[in-house]
Amino acid sequence: MKVSEFQRAVADEFGEGFGRVLIDDSQLVELGDRTPRAALAAGVPARDVWLALCRARDVPRERWHGVGLPDPRD
């Protein structure tokens, strides 16, 4: 997952405005108590950041691959 794909997934799942708030203000234990933005800046892969955010925000597992997209495992 590229950072641009991460940003699109966040906007699709949470909306543009709230998505930006989550990226900038969510302290995720799974990411070492960093925000998603700080984790990305530290070199954490975008896919790992996305999945950590999904788990933290209770996004249903069937949407972890992106809103409205078929599960790539099917």
Side-chain angles (χ1 to χ4, degrees):
M1 171 180 261
K2 298 176 185 176
V3 173
S4 60
E5 293 170 326
F6 166 79
Q7 293 168 331
R8 185 174 53 238
V10 170
D12 287 348
E13 182 64 41
F14 302 107
E16 293 282 336
F18 186 55
R20 280 192 301 273
V21 169
L22 289 176
I23 291 171
D24 289 334
D25 295 340
S26 296
Q27 296 274 325
L28 302 178
V29 172
E30 189 174 335
L31 299 175
D33 285 325
R34 291 181 281 201
T35 65
R37 186 171 310 283
L40 290 169
V44 177
R47 184 78 175 158
D48 294 347
V49 176
W50 168 245
L51 293 176
L53 185 59
C54 285
R55 286 188 282 271
R57 300 300 302 179
D58 295 323
V59 173
R61 191 172 181 90
E62 62 269 12
R63 294 202 312 257
W64 287 10
H65 54 273
V67 174
L69 299 176
D71 191 327
R73 294 174 290 160
D74 291 342

